[in-house]
Amino acid sequence: MTTALVVIDMQTGMLADTPPPYRSDAILRRIAGLLERARASGTPVFHVQHDGGPGDSLAKGTPGFAHHPMVAPRAGEPVIEKRHVGAFHDTDFHAQLMRAGIDRLVIAGLQTEYCVDTACRAAVALGYKVALVSDAHSTFDTPVLPAAQIIAHHNKTLGGPFVELVTSDAVTF
């Protein structure tokens, strides 16, 4: 099985919000650690970057569009720019993964209930094995649920027979 690390929407515009995503400092450190281990092992790394369009804090060409420096792509690491919540929707992400012979994805990033959830579900539907890093994705509190509950719910809902749930310390490349 050939694995790739997928880092979703770790952009300055997401991380600069007030308040920031739940436990954002810990998430940044964990993803930076995953990147270090993936790169050291020669595991391919793919970065997903959201373009929210004109006027959005994540609009291409604005400061918010940039990757956070702690988890920014290195030369040669593909960046999948997306305009929708799904990394596979209207992008060449699936084609790039197929060309690289990837069949297992380790997924981390933002936002749990949107882009992370959608990437997991779409990847499984396309036939990939998926490992969701349970302590390396995050979101914001909402009027309905606090972020901690949203994250716990998605870990419970996605983990098990649907995707492999793994902590950042236990990820193997």
Side-chain angles (χ1 to χ4, degrees):
M1 198 165 286
T2 304
T3 298
L5 174 61
V6 179
V7 178
I8 299 176
D9 297 350
M10 293 300 291
Q11 296 166 247
T12 58
M14 293 284 283
L15 294 157
D17 277 351
T18 305
Y22 179 71
R23 295 189 174 166
S24 59
D25 289 341
I27 300 301
L28 275 165
R29 284 192 307 276
R30 288 183 187 121
I31 293 174
L34 289 166
L35 284 164
E36 183 179 319
R37 290 175 23 226
R39 290 166 176 155
S41 72
T43 299
V45 175
F46 290 80
H47 299 264
V48 178
Q49 186 176 31
H50 187 75
D51 174 3
D56 189 84
S57 65
L58 301 179
K60 189 172 184 169
T62 66
F65 183 70
H67 296 275
H68 189 282
M70 278 182 66
V71 294
R74 288 195 180 157
E77 293 177 348
V79 176
I80 311 304
E81 288 186 15
K82 65 181 178 62
R83 295 288 313 253
H84 306 281
V85 76
F88 294 95
H89 184 175
D90 287 338
T91 70
D92 69 344
F93 190 26
H94 180 52
Q96 286 192 44
L97 292 169
M98 287 179 41
R99 278 194 302 273
I102 306 297
D103 52 11
R104 178 176 177 261
L105 305 178
V106 175
I107 295 178
L110 294 171
Q111 246 183 283
T112 299
E113 72 275 34
Y114 296 115
C115 301
V116 171
D117 177 271
T118 303
C120 288
R121 293 175 188 275
V124 169
L126 290 167
Y128 296 96
K129 298 288 183 197
V130 174
L132 174 61
V133 187
S134 61
D135 59 352
H137 63 92
S138 189
T139 191
F140 302 89
D141 289 340
T142 73
V144 177
L145 289 173
Q149 287 185 342
I150 295 168
I151 294 163
H153 169 79
H154 279 76
N155 283 340
K156 176 67 177 158
T157 302
L158 295 171
F162 192 61
V163 304
E164 173 190 5
L165 205 58
V166 61
T167 62
S168 54
D169 292 344
V171 170
T172 56
F173 293 111

